Amino acid sequence: MPRPLRWTLTGLEVSTLSSIRALTETDFDVAFQPIVDLATGRTFAHEALTRCKLPHFASPSTLFAKAEEEEACGRLGRVIRNVVFQHCERQAVFINLHPQEIGQRWLVQPTDPLFLHEGPLYLEVTESAAFQYFDLCMSVLGEVKARCGAHIVVDDFGAGHSDLRRVLALKPDIVKLDMSLVRDIDQSPDKRSYAEHVIHTCRSLGARVVAEGLESLAELQTVIALGADYGQGYLLGRPAAPPLGKAHWPLKPSSTA
């Protein structure tokens, strides 16, 4: 059985912090970052980014490390989803899932707001979670997908094991290229070559590709030339509440042709 994913913490030790199980919906804020269709420059969906209002849980790493310690990722995820879906009734939304949360079966409860959302729904698992918890992801995410039509997204590809064949065996609808791969991609032949291979392989197997962390015009132009379907990053829009109706698009319409 793989060991739970861990993060390195600084400052307060997680063992001294208040219990995750005491947190309620009023302890969280949510913002939405646009994911943009690179063929049109229009917003395709938004990723929900939730932050805890309590100072000692301001870092998501600290928050989820404490939740892991208490084996409370399932409960925490449910509270977060309750907050998210209060702010996006029919919009296409990307929701992040923690690997421990998947194993605790909270996602398949019929009262989960996932099953009440009227818009397109995208469930994100990290590349490392897809690699280490492959069978669990296949089982639980497959069940959720069958019941509510959710789309499966593999996040942070290129940041960890980068086993493309194993990731694509999950049959994701979307693969997100990690920002470490996208950063300065216009200046790195190696990054461009690898990204082009990933994009081509994903698209040949029916998965679309999001380039994350776009911060410069040159990065945007490069990932478009390589065939990425969507883009996300500060260049196109910062997280906002409520969701931005229109993302920033720095190219002329003819530049996407």
Side-chain angles (χ1 to χ4, degrees), residues 39-85:
T40 66
R42 297 172 183 165
T43 299
F44 163 71
H46 288 86
E47 180 177 356
L49 301 170
T50 311
R51 298 292 182 264
C52 187
K53 299 176 185 177
L54 302 180
H56 51 278
F57 285 142
S59 165
S61 298
T62 303
L63 177 68
F64 278 96
K66 180 63 172 174
E68 282 188 12
E69 178 186 287
E70 295 183 16
E71 297 186 353
C73 289
R75 182 191 182 281
L76 176 60
R78 175 61 182 268
V79 171
I80 288 174
R81 289 192 296 279
N82 287 343
V83 175
V84 168
F85 288 112

Side-chain angles (χ1 to χ4, degrees), residues 25 74-91 93 95 97 101 105-123 144 147-150:
E25 296 171 23
R75 182 191 182 281
L76 176 60
R78 175 61 182 268
V79 171
I80 288 174
R81 289 192 296 279
N82 287 343
V83 175
V84 168
F85 288 112
Q86 291 174 15
H87 298 275
C88 56
E89 294 182 357
R90 295 180 176 83
Q91 295 165 322
V93 62
I95 302 292
L97 302 177
E101 179 181 0
R105 303 292 293 180
W106 282 74
L107 288 171
V108 297
Q109 293 182 0
T111 56
D112 195 288
L114 289 175
F115 301 109
L116 303 176
H117 184 58
E118 297 181 2
L121 182 61
Y122 297 83
L123 302 180
V144 174
R147 287 170 55 187
C148 69

Side-chain angles (χ1 to χ4, degrees), residues 192-254:
R192 289 198 301 273
S193 177
Y194 181 59
E196 184 175 31
H197 165 69
V198 171
I199 292 169
H200 174 76
T201 303
C202 287
R203 296 186 71 176
S204 68
L205 296 175
R208 292 164 289 170
V209 176
V210 177
E212 289 191 289
L214 291 168
E215 293 189 355
S216 74
L217 183 60
E219 290 170 354
L220 173 63
Q221 292 171 321
T222 300
V223 298
I224 290 174
L226 294 176
D229 300 278
Y230 306 110
Q232 182 178 1
Y234 285 175
L235 177 69
L236 305 177
R238 291 176 177 268
L244 294 174
K246 185 178 181 180
H248 172 65
W249 186 246
L251 299 177
K252 295 180 181 179
S254 60

